[in-house]
C-alpha cells in the first residue's frame, strides 16, 4: 500500500508522475533525454539496460521490470539477454565495453563517491570515451533518484507481467512523454 494517497490506478512512477504533473513532466523529460532522445554513443537499448541493472541493484521491482522490458524490446537477444545481465553482467553475452560500463554504473549505485580509478581504467581499456562514461554515470545517478522515489513511497507493482510488454511498446514507439 502506497504511503501517500494516489488518485489514479497507475503503478510505480507512472502513478506518481500522473498525480504530480508539475514534477512528473520534468522527470519524464529527464528520462526521455537520458534514455531516448539525448545524444549518446550508447544505443537506446544499452541505456535502458543500464537503467534496468541499477534498478535491479536497488531492489526496485517496478523500475527493474519496466526498464528490462524496454531494453529487451530494443536489444538483440531480448529478454534472455536482459535476464543474463541482471543475473551476472560479467558473464552475460554483451560487449566488453557494456560490461565495463555496467561495472561503473554499479559503483555509482553503491555509494555517492567517485567511481574507482580501476573501473574507469577498465572502461577506457574496453573502448569507453568520455561520453560513454558520462552517460553511464548520469543514468546510474538518475536511477538512484527514480528508484528511491518509487520505493520511498511504496508504490504499487503490477501483478500482470503483460503490463510491462504494453509499457515497452508505448515507450519504445512514443517515448516517455506518452507515459505522463
Amino acid at each position: 500500500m502506497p504511503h501517500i494517497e494516489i488518485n489514479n490506478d497507475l503503478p510505480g512512477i507512472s502513478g506518481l508522475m500522473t498525480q504530480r504533473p508539475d514534477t512528473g513532466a520534468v522527470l519524464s523529460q529527464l528520462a526521455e533525454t537520458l534514455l531516448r532522445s539525448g545524444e549518446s554513443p550508447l544505443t537506446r537499448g544499452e541505456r535502458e539496460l543500464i537503467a534496468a541493472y541499477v534498478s535491479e541493484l536497488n531492489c526496485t521491482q517496478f523500475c527493474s521490470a519496466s526498464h528490462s522490458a524496454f531494453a529487451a524490446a530494443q536489444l538483440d537477444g531480448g529478454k534472455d539477454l536482459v535476464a543474463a545481465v541482471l543475473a551476472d553482467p560479467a558473464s552475460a553475452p554483451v560487449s566488453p565495453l557494456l560490461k565495463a560500463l555496467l561495472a561503473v554504473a554499479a559503483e555509482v549505485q553503491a555509494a555517492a563517491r567517485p567511481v574507482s580509478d580501476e573501473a574507469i581504467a577498465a572502461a577506457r581499456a574496453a573502448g569507453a570515451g568520455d561520453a560513454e562514461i558520462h552517460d553511464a554515470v548520469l543514468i546510474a545517478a538518475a536511477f538512484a533518484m527514480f528508484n528511491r522515489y518509487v520505493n520511498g513511497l511504496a508504490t504499487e507493482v503490477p501483478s500482470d507481467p503483460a503490463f510491462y510488454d504494453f509499457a515497452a511498446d508505448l515507450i519504445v514507439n512514443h517515448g516517455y512523454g506518452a507515459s505522463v
Side-chain angles (χ1 to χ4, degrees):
M1 176 121 188
H3 292 311
I4 64 172
E5 185 177 336
I6 307 288
N7 60 12
N8 61 70
D9 293 332
L10 297 172
I13 201 167
S14 304
L16 297 172
M17 292 167 93
T18 298
Q19 173 122 349
R20 288 288 308 269
D22 56 336
T23 55
V26 174
L27 294 174
S28 180
Q29 183 57 52
L30 177 60
E32 178 71 20
T33 301
L34 290 176
L35 302 175
R36 290 181 40 85
S37 66
E39 290 187 30
S40 178
L42 302 174
T43 69
R44 288 177 176 179
E46 290 168 337
R47 291 182 270 175
E48 290 287 0
L49 187 59
I50 293 168
Y53 180 58
V54 169
S55 298
E56 182 74 11
L57 293 175
N58 282 327
C59 301
T60 308
Q61 185 180 356
F62 177 81
C63 296
S64 176
S66 295
H67 294 281
S68 290
F70 306 165
Q74 298 177 85
L75 292 170
D76 291 338
K79 291 180 182 181
D80 290 340
L81 174 70
V82 173
V85 167
L86 296 186
D88 180 19
S91 66
V94 294
S95 70
L97 173 61
L98 194 50
K99 287 178 185 184
L101 293 174
L102 290 164
V104 167
E107 285 195 23
V108 172
Q109 177 275 334
R113 62 174 178 254
V115 174
S116 70
D117 292 340
E118 295 79 14
I120 297 299
R124 290 205 185 278
D130 288 349
E132 289 90 352
I133 292 168
H134 172 275
D135 291 0
V137 168
L138 185 53
I139 291 166
F143 274 82
M145 177 196 60
F146 287 135
N147 297 160
R148 282 159 181 78
Y149 184 38
V150 169
N151 282 348
L153 291 173
T155 61
E156 297 289 332
V157 176
S159 58
D160 183 358
F163 169 84
Y164 300 105
D165 292 330
F166 172 79
D169 182 63
L170 183 67
I171 295 300
V172 169
N173 292 307
H174 303 287
Y176 284 90
S179 65
V180 176

